[in-house]
Amino acid sequence: MSAMAAPGSGTGSGGASRPLLGNLAVLAVLALLAGALLTLHGGAWWPAAPQPSRWWLCALVVVAYAGTSAVFLWPRRASLPDTAIAGEPPLLVVWASQTGFASALAERSAAVLRDCGGNVLLLPLDQVDAGRLADTRRALFIASTTGEGDPPDHALHFLHETMRQSPALPRLQYALLALGDREYAHFCAFGRQLDEWLRGRGAQPLFDRVEVDNADEAALRHWQYELGRIADSADLADWSPPAYESWRLAARELLNPGSQGAPVHDLALEPATGTLPTWQAGDIAEIGPRNPPARVQALLDRLGLDGGARLSATGGEETLAALLARSQLPEDIQALPGLAPDALAAQLRPLPHREYSIASIPEEGRLRLLVREMPRADGSPGLGSGWLCRYAPLGGTIDLRLRGNPGFQPPPAERPLILVGNGTGIAGLRAHLRARIRAGARRNWLLFGERNADRDFFYRGELMEWRAQGWLERLDLAFSRDEGDGAYVQDRLHAAADILRDWVDAGACVLVCGNASGMAPGVDAAMAQALGEERRDALRIEGRYRRDVY
C-alpha cells in the first residue's frame, strides 16, 4: 500500500512552500559549493582547469549535487501510489469540505479501504480534473453542501471549470456520500448536482447516493456498510454501533426448497417488549448478528475459559459467552491463553450490523424480512444470513434497529406506481404494495424476476390474489432458468416500452429493488432506451425514479 496524500496537500501555504523551500535549499548548497571550488583553481582562476590532484574533489561535488537533488525530488515521487507509478490507477477518494467534516469522513473511508489492502489516493476536489477522472476506474466522493445549496469554497474551481466540460467517463465506477442539513431548502444540493453530472458523463454508480442529514449516524453506518462491500470485507466494525432494541424471532419459513439458488427464508419478528413501532414501506432493518454458538464454544475450550463468567464491565449483567457471540472473534489466539475474562473482553470489537429491506408494514402486526443465505468464501454461512436463517432459535432474541430510508419512501397514492425487482428485492416491493392496498391505490404494475417459477416465485399466493382482486393492474414475470423463458426482468421492461411510456406520461413513479450489479443497470438501460436518457434523468431528479439496490 502506497502512502496517501494528506488532505489539502499541494494547496495552501504548507503545500505551496515545500517546493519553494526545496529550491532555495538547493541554490544555497550550490552557492557554497561554488565558493569552495574557487580554491581548486590556480593562477588565472577563470580559464584555468583544476589541478590534476583535485579531480577526485570534483567528482565528490558532482555526487553531492546529485544526492541533494534526489533528497528533494524523492518525497514527491514517493507520495504517489505504487499502482499510479506502475500505470494502474488507484481507487480515488475525493472530498469537498467547508468545515472539515467531509474531509474527516474521506480520511476515515480511505483508511478503511487501505486497511483492507486497497490502493487509495486521497485528494480534495480542487485537485481533481477531467483528465484524472477519465484515468480513474473507481472513485468515492464525499461532498458537503454549505449555505443555501452552495458547494464548499475550494470546490468552486471544479464546479466552474471541470463540470462545465463534458468528458466521457464510461469506465468510471463511483459512489457518493452527500452531506447536508434538512433545515435548509436545498438539502445536499451540491452532492446531488455532482451525482447527476457524473451520471450524465456515463459514470456508473456502485450504489445509489447516500445522503446524510446533519451527521446522522444511521446514514453513515449505511455508507460504511457499502464500503465493506467495495473492500470485499464483511467484518468491518461499525464506526458507531446501532442502538439496538430487542425483538423476538416469531416465525421462520424456507420458501424455495430445491432451488438452484441459495435458500431463502421468510422471517417474522415482534418486539420483545412493548408495542410495535412504526415504520414506512421502503425502510431498513439493521440487524445485530451473532457468531454460531459452536464457534464461540470452540474458542472458549481452546482458551480454557468459562463462558458463564460474568463480566465486571457490564456490572455482571452479561456473560463472556454472550459477549463473544456478538463480537469479532480473535483469529490469532497465541497471546490470549491465560487472560482473565475481563481482560479478554477489553480486546473485543462488536460485530458489524447487517441491513435488510423490510417486507411488511406496521398494520400487519409483525416485521417481516426475506433473507437469502449468503455463503462466505470458504462455504460457511454468512454472518448476518447465517445467524437469521440457521442459528437464531425460534422465540429467541434478535438485536434490531429500524432505519428510515428517505430515498425509497412511498410516492403519493394518487400516482401510478411501477415496481421492478428481482430475487429478495421483492421484500421491499411487497411492503410498498401492502401500503398501496391500504391506501386504496390500484394503479400498480409489478415486474419481478427469479430463477424458476415453481421454486423461486416468492409471495406467489399473495401476488396472484392481489392480481385477481385488481390491486395489481399488471404483473410481468421473468424466470431466467425456466425452459422457454430465459428472460430477465429488464427484458420484460424493454418489451413493454410503450406501456412504460404511457404510465410515465400519466405521472407514474418507478421503484427498483434488488441486485445492484446485474438487474439494476439493466433496468436503468431499459428505462433510458424507452424514455430517453434526458427524461430518465429528469425522473430521478423529480424523485419519480427511486432505487434500493444492493
Side-chain angles (χ1 to χ4, degrees):
M1 176 65 200
S2 58
M4 295 186 298
S9 61
T11 63
S13 60
S17 61
R18 183 174 180 178
L20 177 61
L21 292 174
N23 290 331
L24 291 175
V26 170
L27 290 174
V29 170
L30 289 175
L32 291 173
L33 291 174
L37 286 172
L38 293 178
T39 62
L40 301 180
H41 295 270
W45 64 272
W46 176 257
Q51 300 176 14
S53 61
R54 303 294 179 88
W55 277 110
W56 65 272
L57 289 175
C58 293
L60 182 61
V61 169
V62 171
V63 171
Y65 172 74
T68 302
S69 300
V71 166
F72 288 98
L73 290 175
W74 176 254
R76 294 179 60 84
R77 178 69 170 177
S79 66
L80 295 175
D82 295 339
T83 52
I85 296 172
E88 299 176 4
L91 189 152
L92 185 62
V93 178
V94 183
W95 55 268
S97 184
Q98 187 72 17
T99 64
F101 185 48
S103 62
L105 289 176
E107 290 176 353
R108 199 164 192 179
S109 300
V112 166
L113 300 171
R114 177 195 61 200
D115 292 343
C116 293
N119 189 22
V120 180
L121 177 60
L122 179 65
L123 288 176
L125 187 58
D126 54 289
Q127 289 192 21
V128 176
D129 57 19
R132 185 182 290 278
L133 290 177
D135 292 337
T136 299
R137 298 297 168 264
R138 291 199 301 172
L140 307 182
F141 295 86
I142 296 91
S144 65
T145 296
T146 185
E148 291 294 343
D150 299 322
D153 293 341
H154 75 99
L156 289 173
H157 177 78
F158 185 90
L159 176 68
H160 295 317
E161 297 296 331
T162 304
M163 291 182 68
R164 286 180 179 175
Q165 304 174 30
S166 299
L169 303 173
R171 295 186 295 175
L172 176 64
Q173 294 181 313
Y174 75 95
L176 192 143
L177 181 68
L179 309 178
D181 188 334
R182 290 193 183 276
E183 292 186 1
Y184 291 90
H186 303 288
F187 174 65
C188 289
F190 179 60
R192 293 175 178 180
Q193 182 182 9
L194 179 58
D195 189 22
E196 293 303 324
W197 181 81
L198 289 165
R199 289 177 185 265
R201 307 283 73 75
Q204 300 297 315
L206 292 163
F207 49 88
D208 283 352
R209 178 180 68 242
V210 177
E211 295 184 343
V212 182
D213 177 20
N214 202 20
D216 175 54
E217 291 184 349
L220 293 176
R221 276 196 302 274
H222 179 59
W223 171 258
Q224 190 198 2
Y225 176 82
E226 297 291 357
L227 282 182
R229 297 202 304 135
I230 292 175
D232 196 23
S233 177
D235 298 324
L236 299 177
D238 290 321
W239 292 344
S240 60
Y244 296 119
E245 296 181 349
S246 292
W247 290 62
R248 184 179 67 87
L249 180 58
R252 179 171 54 208
E253 179 186 2
L254 175 64
L255 297 186
N256 63 339
S259 172
Q260 298 180 45
V264 173
H265 299 260
D266 178 67
L267 297 91
L269 300 101
E270 302 169 343
T273 59
T275 60
L276 191 73
T278 60
W279 66 86
Q280 292 193 74
D283 283 352
I284 301 295
E286 295 181 339
I287 298 292
R290 294 286 185 268
N291 290 305
R295 190 177 174 205
V296 172
Q297 188 58 51
L299 178 62
L300 289 169
D301 291 343
R302 292 183 65 184
L303 298 177
L305 293 173
D306 177 12
R310 298 283 172 174
L311 301 174
S312 59
T314 63
E317 294 183 359
E318 187 173 35
T319 65
L320 177 60
L323 178 62
L324 288 170
R326 62 180 181 85
S327 301
Q328 297 188 45
L329 300 182
E331 296 181 2
D332 182 8
I333 65 170
Q334 299 301 319
L336 297 181
L339 283 181
D342 284 312
L344 174 60
Q347 299 186 22
L348 300 176
R349 294 192 303 167
L351 288 170
H353 78 283
R354 290 293 182 263
E355 299 185 351
Y356 300 96
S357 298
I358 300 175
S360 58
I361 58 175
E363 289 74 15
E364 295 180 75
R366 286 178 167 181
L367 185 146
R368 293 177 64 180
L369 304 177
L370 190 66
V371 181
R372 187 188 302 274
E373 293 187 35
M374 300 298 293
R376 297 173 184 261
D378 61 4
S380 62
L383 178 62
S385 63
W387 165 242
L388 291 173
C389 298
R390 294 196 181 192
Y391 305 123
L394 284 176
T397 299
I398 302 292
D399 285 343
L400 185 148
R401 182 187 186 276
L402 299 175
R403 177 171 68 80
N405 190 12
F408 205 61
Q409 287 180 348
E414 61 270 18
R415 285 190 180 274
L417 180 61
I418 303 170
L419 301 160
V420 188
N422 71 331
T424 56
I426 191 65
L429 304 183
R430 179 192 180 277
H432 277 286
L433 279 172
R434 290 291 305 192
R436 297 279 290 183
I437 293 171
R438 187 170 185 273
R442 290 183 174 270
R443 289 223 66 191
N444 304 307
W445 173 13
L446 173 65
L447 300 99
F448 170 68
E450 245 291 351
R451 290 178 174 83
N452 299 107
D454 61 342
R455 297 177 178 85
D456 306 303
F457 191 172
F458 309 131
Y459 306 130
R460 176 202 291 264
E462 287 182 324
L463 295 176
M464 299 309 294
E465 182 180 356
W466 294 339
R467 179 77 172 94
Q469 294 173 348
W471 295 113
L472 272 173
E473 184 174 317
R474 184 180 176 96
L475 176 62
D476 288 76
L477 303 169
F479 294 101
S480 59
R481 305 293 175 85
D482 278 358
E483 186 176 353
D485 190 339
Y488 295 93
V489 67
Q490 54 264 38
D491 299 323
R492 295 287 187 256
L493 188 63
H494 175 72
D498 291 340
I499 300 172
L500 173 63
R501 285 190 288 270
D502 290 342
W503 278 60
V504 170
D505 289 343
C509 293
V510 182
L511 299 183
V512 180
C513 190
N515 185 270
S517 59
M519 182 275 298
V523 168
D524 199 57
M527 292 270 293
Q529 188 168 1
L531 305 173
E533 292 186 2
E534 185 174 347
R535 192 175 189 193
R536 178 204 59 188
D537 294 343
L539 289 179
R540 183 184 293 115
I541 294 171
E542 294 172 26
R544 292 174 55 195
Y545 174 25
R546 310 176 188 176
R547 309 194 309 172
D548 181 15
V549 297
Y550 44 85

